[in-house]
Amino acid sequence: MSFDLVVSGRAFVKGEIKYSEIGITDGKIASVKSSVKGGEKRIDVPGGVILPGFIDPHVHFRDPGMTEKEDFSSGTLSAVHGGVTCVLDMPNTLPPVTDVSMLLDKKDHVKGKAYADYGLFAAVTPGCSAGMLAPLVPGFKLFMGSTTGKILLNDDAEIISTFRDIALTGKRISVHAEDDRMISKEKENNCRDHLRNRPVEAEINALRRLSRFKGMKINICHNTNAESVALAGELGFTTEVTMHHLFFEADKFSSSEYKVNPPIRNSAVRDKLYRSFINGKISMFGSDHAPHTLSDKSKDFDEAPSGIPGVETTIPMVMNMVRNNTITLKQAVSMGSETPAAAFGMRKGRIEEGCDADLSVFDTRNFAKINVRKLHSKAGHSPYEGWEAVFPDIVMVRGEVQIEGGEFCGEKVGKDAYGKH
Ligand SMILES: NC(=O)N[C@@H](CC(=O)O)C(=O)O
Ligand SMILES: [Zn+2]
């Protein structure tokens, strides 16, 4: 058998790190063995571990409509620099993705712009043509609490009837679970006020209301507290966690840079969330990359939009946790690659025959401090400036090298993972 490319080195294969030779043909992994013959081209990875490319199941790339904050090129460029080879983009762009024609318009619009593979979510709206949308999307997104964009749906009767249609399609519904009726709109001056207006109970109550959908394919986004995580687990839902909810506390991190929905919680809530993450109770990382320009974020707290960028820093921070033995590599790969691929039905996320040849190589000896000037998002700011992280040495999207020796050498090879219909 001849391959277009053979990548060899220590690789994470079926839960173990072992020397492997990965034969790649037409962008797919065709063979994984201790030795494969042939290969037009060979890349011998000198150090570090070859991992499946990471998948970020939750980004907001603002394209179309708010491209001064991010566009598909800057967003996916940022992604590959952080070891992320596939992103799932949320539908609160302008116009929002609420029907087939808007979805197809957005697909046309972003085509040819991406450095990483991608999928585009559709919003859950009453009467959305779930059956027609389903083959074209990774899943559907429900916003139960108001936030950037205007696609709120918080009425039980409407949620029930729409979920019934979506259940028939087999697609997962990612939920922004904050009960809007429990969100107060009083003036805010800092993150403590934002937290007062959007209490933990709003999140837990939204989840309680979803308990009637036990066993359905539902994913609870950006969990901020251990109770939500536990309840979601009991209901058979998948869960996401962000770095900002794991690491920030409203008392210490109070400026509008940290204003985000759901909000940064207090230290007691954060500590319990962190423990449930360490104990393996959370399914996936999701950056909730929500870029806003510095001038937007510099407005008075009450006026400033909510959202924190993170697509480029999430996995490097995760790999730093692996370096520190805070979590195992197995947990990092499960939460960052395997589970998102399985949850959203992609042949990605594993170094196995038949999967896309999305690979990332990390060497935990190469840690560095995050430097905002070296990040690629248009946001131009990061709350993680100066934090230690491990950035990837090599990143490959379906066999196409995007990063080598830590340097960008890529092209806009990114494809819609739900596009062949
Ligand atoms: N997380 C945020 O605070 N903002 C997100 C929307 C969202 O996920 O709530 C955004 O699009 O700006
Ligand atoms: Zn979001």
Side-chain angles (χ1 to χ4, degrees):
M1 196 177 201
S2 179
F3 305 104
D4 302 336
L5 171 68
V6 174
V7 181
S8 61
R10 278 161 25 93
F12 185 88
V13 178
K14 299 200 168 126
E16 279 176 48
I17 299 174
K18 53 186 174 199
Y19 177 83
S20 308
E21 300 198 350
I22 304 163
I24 297 168
T25 300
D26 291 335
K28 289 198 182 297
I29 297 173
S31 179
V32 186
K33 294 209 175 95
S34 55
S35 162
V36 299
K37 298 220 165 26
E40 299 275 302
K41 199 181 153 204
R42 290 187 80 100
I43 297 179
D44 295 311
V45 174
V49 191
I50 308 168
L51 304 176
F54 288 93
I55 297 169
D56 190 334
H58 191 149
V59 303
H60 299 268
F61 280 171
R62 316 296 191 203
D63 199 349
M66 291 167 282
T67 49
E68 71 286 359
K69 294 178 194 265
E70 200 76 286
D71 61 40
F72 239 71
S73 294
S74 58
T76 52
L77 185 66
S78 206
V80 293
H81 277 90
V84 170
T85 50
C86 181
V87 292
L88 303 182
D89 187 52
M90 290 300 162
N92 60 335
T93 35
L94 281 177
V97 180
T98 51
D99 64 27
V100 176
S101 82
M102 281 164 179
L103 176 68
L104 295 179
D105 282 353
K106 181 168 172 180
K107 287 193 177 213
D108 273 349
H109 186 83
V110 303
K111 197 176 179 153
K113 287 186 171 182
Y115 294 97
D117 281 353
Y118 56 90
L120 306 179
F121 272 90
V124 177
T125 56
C128 69
S129 330
M132 271 152 77
L133 286 163
L136 307 170
V137 298
F140 293 79
K141 174 73 182 276
L142 171 66
F143 289 94
M144 296 174 79
S146 45
T147 185
T148 310
K150 294 199 170 54
I151 35 180
L152 178 72
L153 178 64
N154 194 35
D155 175 81
D156 278 334
E158 288 180 328
I159 291 174
I160 291 169
S161 78
T162 321
F163 273 31
R164 203 174 287 144
D165 293 344
I166 297 175
L168 298 172
T169 71
K171 288 281 164 160
R172 189 169 296 271
I173 305 170
S174 280
V175 184
H176 182 125
E178 282 187 285
D179 187 338
D180 206 54
R181 295 168 309 189
M182 296 172 71
I183 296 177
S184 148
K185 309 277 182 319
E186 270 164 61
K187 187 171 164 50
E188 301 174 353
N189 293 311
N190 52 44
C191 281
R192 282 185 298 276
D193 295 348
H194 195 52
L195 172 55
R196 178 206 62 216
N197 279 353
R198 305 181 76 114
V200 159
E201 292 72 33
E203 210 178 331
I204 295 173
N205 205 51
L207 209 51
R208 284 211 189 96
R209 287 171 51 212
L210 294 172
S211 59
R212 56 158 56 87
F213 302 111
K214 182 173 183 172
M216 231 180 110
K217 281 190 178 174
I218 289 176
N219 174 42
I220 307 300
C221 299
H222 35 50
N223 287 269
T224 71
N225 69 90
E227 288 74 13
S228 289
V229 170
L231 186 49
E234 282 164 28
L235 296 168
F237 301 164
T238 56
T239 44
E240 279 173 30
V241 73
T242 67
M243 291 301 114
H244 47 268
H245 293 122
L246 286 176
F247 288 110
F248 297 139
E249 300 162 8
D251 286 335
K252 285 198 208 140
F253 301 91
S254 205
S255 75
S256 55
E257 185 172 18
Y258 305 94
K259 183 178 178 185
V260 68
N261 300 329
I264 302 301
R265 302 293 181 199
N266 64 32
S267 59
V269 172
R270 185 209 73 103
D271 288 351
K272 281 177 74 182
L273 176 77
Y274 188 83
R275 259 176 278 143
S276 81
F277 157 60
I278 297 294
N279 292 334
K281 305 279 188 238
I282 304 180
S283 324
M284 298 181 258
F285 301 111
S287 70
D288 189 21
H289 178 77
H292 296 285
T293 59
L294 252 179
S295 71
D296 281 345
K297 285 300 255 184
S298 311
K299 291 177 184 164
D300 281 350
F301 192 95
D302 208 44
E303 302 283 304
S306 293
I308 297 178
V311 71
E312 190 166 349
T313 46
T314 295
I315 296 303
M317 288 172 70
V318 167
M319 291 309 294
N320 195 55
M321 290 191 252
V322 173
R323 176 176 84 88
N324 291 333
N325 294 317
T326 306
I327 60 167
T328 61
L329 183 61
K330 201 175 169 119
Q331 184 175 1
V333 173
S334 164
M335 291 182 67
S337 306
E338 295 168 354
T339 307
F344 295 101
M346 287 184 278
R347 291 286 280 153
K348 289 182 177 291
R350 288 174 187 271
I351 301 181
E352 269 175 35
E353 279 175 33
C355 284
D356 285 347
D358 301 339
L359 303 174
S360 60
V361 177
F362 285 83
D363 186 338
T364 48
R365 291 169 301 184
N366 296 343
F367 65 95
K369 290 205 162 145
I370 294 172
N371 176 344
V372 175
R373 288 192 311 280
K374 290 192 181 163
L375 299 178
H376 300 82
S377 166
K378 284 190 185 179
H381 58 95
S382 165
Y384 309 108
E385 169 75 16
W387 289 45
E388 281 181 356
V390 180
F391 286 90
D393 291 338
I394 301 176
V395 177
M396 224 176 262
V397 176
R398 279 174 290 96
E400 307 270 0
V401 182
Q402 302 292 86
I403 305 272
E404 193 162 10
E407 299 294 324
F408 178 69
C409 59
E411 282 177 41
K412 293 175 178 165
V413 298
K415 277 196 201 159
D416 185 344
Y418 306 85
K420 296 173 220 76
H421 299 277

